[in-house]
Amino acid sequence: MVIATELCAMSEYRIWPGTGKLFIRRDGKPIFLGSSKAQSLTLQRKKPAKLVWTQAWRRLHKKGLSEANLKKRRTRTNKVQRAVVGLSLDDIKKKAAQKPEFRSAQRDAALKDVKTRKKVTKSKGNSGSGVRASKVPKNVKRR
Protein backbone atom coordinates (compact mmCIF):
# COMPACT_ATOMS: atom_id res chain seq x y z
CA MET A 1 0.00 0.00 0.00
CA VAL A 2 1.39 3.38 -1.04
CA ILE A 3 0.78 6.35 1.24
CA ALA A 4 0.53 9.72 -0.50
CA THR A 5 3.04 12.10 1.03
CA GLU A 6 3.76 15.73 0.22
CA LEU A 7 7.05 17.59 0.37
CA CYS A 8 7.52 20.53 2.71
CA ALA A 9 8.10 23.74 0.73
CA MET A 10 10.75 24.92 3.21
CA SER A 11 12.71 21.84 4.30
CA GLU A 12 11.75 19.41 1.50
CA TYR A 13 11.11 16.72 4.13
CA ARG A 14 8.19 14.32 3.61
CA ILE A 15 4.86 15.31 5.15
CA TRP A 16 2.86 12.28 6.21
CA PRO A 17 -0.96 12.31 6.19
CA GLY A 18 -2.43 14.04 9.25
CA THR A 19 0.60 16.27 9.84
CA GLY A 20 1.68 19.67 8.54
CA LYS A 21 -0.30 22.61 7.23
CA LEU A 22 -1.47 23.71 3.82
CA PHE A 23 -0.78 27.39 3.25
CA ILE A 24 -2.35 29.18 0.28
CA ARG A 25 -0.29 32.11 -0.95
CA ARG A 26 -1.83 35.33 -2.24
CA ASP A 27 -1.30 34.23 -5.83
CA GLY A 28 -3.31 31.09 -5.07
CA LYS A 29 -0.41 28.64 -5.05
CA PRO A 30 -0.78 25.97 -2.32
CA ILE A 31 2.30 25.46 -0.13
CA PHE A 32 2.67 22.45 2.14
CA LEU A 33 4.56 23.10 5.37
CA GLY A 34 5.67 20.19 7.52
CA SER A 35 6.17 21.89 10.89
CA SER A 36 5.51 25.09 12.78
CA LYS A 37 9.21 25.87 12.40
CA ALA A 38 8.93 25.66 8.61
CA GLN A 39 5.74 27.74 8.69
CA SER A 40 7.33 30.44 10.85
CA LEU A 41 10.43 30.68 8.65
CA THR A 42 8.29 30.78 5.48
CA LEU A 43 6.21 33.65 6.85
CA GLN A 44 9.45 35.46 7.74
CA ARG A 45 10.44 34.95 4.08
CA LYS A 46 13.65 33.15 4.96
CA LYS A 47 15.41 31.44 2.07
CA PRO A 48 15.67 27.65 2.49
CA ALA A 49 19.15 27.68 0.90
CA LYS A 50 20.48 29.77 3.79
CA LEU A 51 19.19 27.43 6.52
CA VAL A 52 21.66 24.67 7.27
CA TRP A 53 19.07 22.02 8.18
CA THR A 54 17.13 22.20 4.88
CA GLN A 55 17.64 19.98 1.88
CA ALA A 56 18.14 23.04 -0.35
CA TRP A 57 21.21 24.05 1.70
CA ARG A 58 22.58 20.50 1.65
CA ARG A 59 22.15 20.29 -2.12
CA LEU A 60 23.80 23.71 -2.59
CA HIS A 61 26.81 22.72 -0.45
CA LYS A 62 27.14 19.20 -1.94
CA LYS A 63 26.37 17.34 1.29
CA GLY A 64 25.24 13.74 1.49
CA LEU A 65 26.17 12.75 -2.06
CA SER A 66 26.71 9.06 -2.67
CA GLU A 67 30.32 7.88 -2.91
CA ALA A 68 29.92 6.67 -6.49
CA ASN A 69 28.90 10.08 -7.78
CA LEU A 70 31.43 11.94 -5.67
CA LYS A 71 34.58 10.65 -7.39
CA LYS A 72 35.66 12.80 -10.30
CA ARG A 73 37.08 11.29 -13.43
CA ARG A 74 40.54 12.57 -14.08
CA THR A 75 42.59 12.23 -17.20
CA ARG A 76 45.90 10.59 -16.56
CA THR A 77 48.92 12.68 -17.40
CA ASN A 78 51.07 11.18 -20.12
CA LYS A 79 54.81 11.25 -19.66
CA VAL A 80 56.55 12.87 -22.58
CA GLN A 81 60.25 12.45 -23.16
CA ARG A 82 62.04 15.54 -24.30
CA ALA A 83 65.52 16.18 -25.59
CA VAL A 84 68.04 17.65 -23.16
CA VAL A 85 70.59 20.27 -24.13
CA GLY A 86 73.49 18.32 -25.62
CA LEU A 87 71.51 15.09 -26.17
CA SER A 88 68.83 14.44 -28.74
CA LEU A 89 65.81 12.27 -27.97
CA ASP A 90 67.21 9.43 -30.12
CA ASP A 91 70.45 9.43 -28.13
CA ILE A 92 68.52 9.26 -24.84
CA LYS A 93 66.48 6.32 -26.10
CA LYS A 94 69.63 4.51 -27.28
CA LYS A 95 71.27 4.95 -23.85
CA ALA A 96 68.14 3.66 -22.09
CA ALA A 97 68.10 0.58 -24.34
CA GLN A 98 71.74 -0.31 -23.57
CA LYS A 99 72.60 -3.03 -21.08
CA PRO A 100 73.55 -1.85 -17.58
CA GLU A 101 76.92 -3.67 -17.72
CA PHE A 102 77.83 -1.87 -20.94
CA ARG A 103 76.87 1.50 -19.48
CA SER A 104 78.85 0.89 -16.27
CA ALA A 105 81.89 -0.11 -18.35
CA GLN A 106 81.54 3.11 -20.35
CA ARG A 107 81.27 5.12 -17.14
CA ASP A 108 84.41 3.48 -15.70
CA ALA A 109 86.33 4.17 -18.89
CA ALA A 110 85.25 7.82 -18.84
CA LEU A 111 86.32 8.13 -15.16
CA LYS A 112 89.74 6.67 -15.92
CA ASP A 113 90.13 9.09 -18.81
CA VAL A 114 89.26 12.07 -16.59
CA LYS A 115 91.67 10.91 -13.87
CA THR A 116 94.55 10.57 -16.32
CA ARG A 117 93.86 14.05 -17.70
CA LYS A 118 93.86 15.47 -14.17
CA LYS A 119 97.21 13.82 -13.42
CA VAL A 120 98.69 15.28 -16.57
CA THR A 121 97.45 18.80 -15.83
CA LYS A 122 98.59 18.54 -12.20
CA SER A 123 102.11 17.52 -13.15
CA LYS A 124 102.32 20.39 -15.64
CA GLY A 125 100.92 22.90 -13.13
CA ASN A 126 103.39 22.10 -10.32
CA SER A 127 106.55 22.50 -12.42
CA GLY A 128 105.48 25.76 -14.09
CA SER A 129 104.37 27.97 -11.18
CA GLY A 130 106.72 28.17 -8.23
CA VAL A 131 105.98 31.72 -7.01
CA ARG A 132 102.50 32.84 -6.08
CA ALA A 133 101.20 36.32 -5.30
CA SER A 134 100.32 36.88 -1.66
CA LYS A 135 96.60 36.96 -0.96
CA VAL A 136 95.15 40.28 0.16
CA PRO A 137 91.77 40.41 1.93
CA LYS A 138 89.03 42.20 -0.02
CA ASN A 139 88.18 44.63 2.74
CA VAL A 140 91.75 45.98 3.00
CA LYS A 141 92.51 49.00 0.80
CA ARG A 142 95.69 49.03 -1.25
CA ARG A 143 97.79 52.21 -1.60
Side-chain angles (χ1 to χ4, degrees):
M1 182 170 116
V2 178
I3 300 171
T5 58
E6 298 290 340
L7 285 180
C8 176
M10 174 62 73
S11 63
E12 298 177 33
Y13 292 157
R14 280 191 182 157
I15 304 172
W16 300 96
T19 60
K21 289 185 178 181
L22 177 59
F23 177 73
I24 310 293
R25 283 201 319 210
R26 277 191 202 159
D27 61 357
K29 185 180 177 190
I31 292 179
F32 293 94
L33 299 166
S35 63
S36 59
K37 177 181 181 179
Q39 182 186 6
S40 173
L41 291 166
T42 304
L43 292 175
Q44 293 174 49
R45 301 192 179 199
K46 301 289 182 189
K47 292 181 181 174
K50 290 190 174 185
L51 301 169
V52 180
W53 57 274
T54 62
Q55 292 300 312
W57 185 91
R58 292 181 65 78
R59 196 168 38 255
L60 192 67
H61 292 85
K62 297 184 175 86
K63 304 292 179 191
L65 297 175
S66 63
E67 293 296 321
N69 297 341
L70 194 63
K71 292 180 182 176
K72 291 182 181 178
R73 290 181 184 173
R74 292 184 182 176
T75 54
R76 286 252 172 120
T77 55
N78 296 329
K79 285 192 176 181
V80 178
Q81 280 192 330
R82 288 208 208 146
V84 183
V85 177
L87 278 179
S88 68
L89 189 59
D90 297 330
D91 294 340
I92 293 171
K93 285 184 179 177
K94 282 179 190 172
K95 277 197 174 185
Q98 289 173 350
K99 299 266 187 213
E101 297 87 24
F102 179 73
R103 287 181 69 186
S104 62
Q106 271 189 331
R107 194 180 306 114
D108 292 339
L111 278 171
K112 282 181 184 177
D113 185 39
V114 168
K115 283 182 182 177
T116 54
R117 272 192 270 149
K118 273 191 177 179
K119 280 184 183 177
V120 170
T121 55
K122 199 173 193 181
S123 63
K124 284 183 183 176
N126 286 345
S127 61
S129 63
V131 179
R132 287 191 171 184
S134 61
K135 291 187 178 180
V136 180
K138 291 181 181 178
N139 60 352
V140 176
K141 290 185 181 179
R142 295 183 196 168
R143 290 187 185 190

